[in-house]
Amino acid sequence: MQQLARPFEKFLPGSHLILGEAGSGKTRLIWSILQEKDFVEDNSINIVLTDSEKRIWHNPPHNPVHTINPYDTDISWVTDPTKPGIYYCACDYAPRIITFMECLATWSVHEKNISNRVRIFLDLPSKFWNIPEFEEQLGRLDYITANRKEEDGPPIEIWAAIGSLTKISPEIRALFKHVNLIMLNPLPNGWSDKVLHLLDIKCDNLPELFAGIHSDVKEGYYYIPITEEYLAFNPKPIAKP
């Protein structure tokens, strides 16, 4: 049975998959999320890894951003991320991005007393997602985040922004089983069939939730938190700087 969308209220804890066509605003959505009051008040550590530098990150209106030089010798922001804030690193050299992910995975394995929520935002083109070494480190991070227990402290979340599911490997797609879905409008024709066919998301009523989405909507986004299994809709255009 089709489920009607409820008004969007907030993003729930957990890893997220952001789906949207090229130009739909995936980068702007991440930027706007990190400029919200909630993402400062929780004293979280937010690490953004992307391939190209965007001007919007250099003049944030509310929450300051630490712009990282990817070739600086000091990489403590990934080897021992302890200071709350937003860390933005733009680098189109894939081995460097993979090194940062390896550092984060290694840190999360050995650090048993994490006191702050950690969010890792991956805003990267499809060519990155098909590199075996990238897949390996993302798999490590996914395994660690999925197996963290409450006594281990605040969660580690992976927020992945992807333009086309058909352009990433099946091995990467297999990692997105327990993610909250963010789907940016406008949605292309046949999008729901592709998601249901390509992703094995653990949500029994996902087809019914998808049936409540109107593909002719041009602005905003739909949100499905997997743990709660409901459909929410935010009609507001994604904020621009």
Side-chain angles (χ1 to χ4, degrees), residues 66-176:
H66 303 284
T67 302
I68 302 296
N69 177 353
Y71 299 104
D72 196 323
T73 56
D74 180 6
I75 59 171
S76 58
W77 56 282
V78 284
T79 58
D80 187 25
T82 56
K83 186 176 180 180
I86 303 168
Y87 299 84
Y88 168 77
C89 180
C91 181
D92 63 357
Y93 184 55
R96 195 65 174 161
I97 292 288
I98 293 167
T99 294
F100 296 150
M101 293 179 63
E102 182 179 6
C103 290
L104 287 166
T106 301
W107 164 79
S108 60
V109 167
H110 297 293
E111 181 56 61
K112 299 301 182 183
N113 296 305
I114 299 174
S115 56
N116 302 87
R117 182 187 301 272
V118 178
R119 300 182 186 91
I120 302 167
F121 293 85
L122 302 175
D123 185 13
L124 299 162
S126 56
K127 64 179 182 180
F128 280 77
W129 299 89
N130 291 301
I131 299 172
E133 294 80 5
F134 181 93
E135 175 193 320
E136 178 185 357
Q137 298 308 323
L138 183 61
R140 289 181 67 205
L141 273 170
D142 176 74
Y143 178 82
I144 295 160
T145 58
N147 288 278
R148 281 182 62 79
K149 300 177 181 178
E150 188 174 341
E151 56 266 26
D152 295 329
I156 300 172
E157 302 174 0
I158 301 171
W159 292 57
I162 292 179
S164 174
L165 289 172
T166 59
K167 293 182 179 180
I168 62 174
S169 69
E171 291 76 15
I172 289 288
R173 294 198 298 264
L175 299 177
F176 301 129

Side-chain angles (χ1 to χ4, degrees), residues 3 11 23 30 35 38 42 60 63 72 105 128 136 160 164 182 206:
Q3 296 196 22
F11 295 109
I30 294 172
Q35 287 303 303
D38 291 348
D42 67 357
N63 306 333
D72 196 323
F128 280 77
E136 178 185 357
S164 174
I182 305 172
L206 197 58

Side-chain angles (χ1 to χ4, degrees), residues 174-185:
L175 299 177
F176 301 129
K177 292 183 178 181
H178 303 283
V179 293
N180 300 311
L181 280 176
I182 305 172
M183 295 156 291
L184 276 58
N185 296 315

Side-chain angles (χ1 to χ4, degrees), residues 25-85:
K26 296 185 293 295
T27 297
R28 284 187 288 111
L29 176 64
I30 294 172
W31 176 86
S32 64
I33 287 172
L34 292 177
Q35 287 303 303
E36 292 177 0
K37 184 172 62 174
D38 291 348
F39 280 71
V40 167
E41 291 182 343
D42 67 357
N43 288 318
S44 58
I45 299 168
N46 301 278
I47 296 171
V48 181
L49 297 178
T50 188
D51 66 315
S52 61
E53 197 164 350
K54 306 291 195 303
R55 287 183 300 171
I56 60 174
W57 290 97
H58 294 285
N59 295 294
H62 305 299
N63 306 333
V65 173
H66 303 284
T67 302
I68 302 296
N69 177 353
Y71 299 104
D72 196 323
T73 56
D74 180 6
I75 59 171
S76 58
W77 56 282
V78 284
T79 58
D80 187 25
T82 56
K83 186 176 180 180

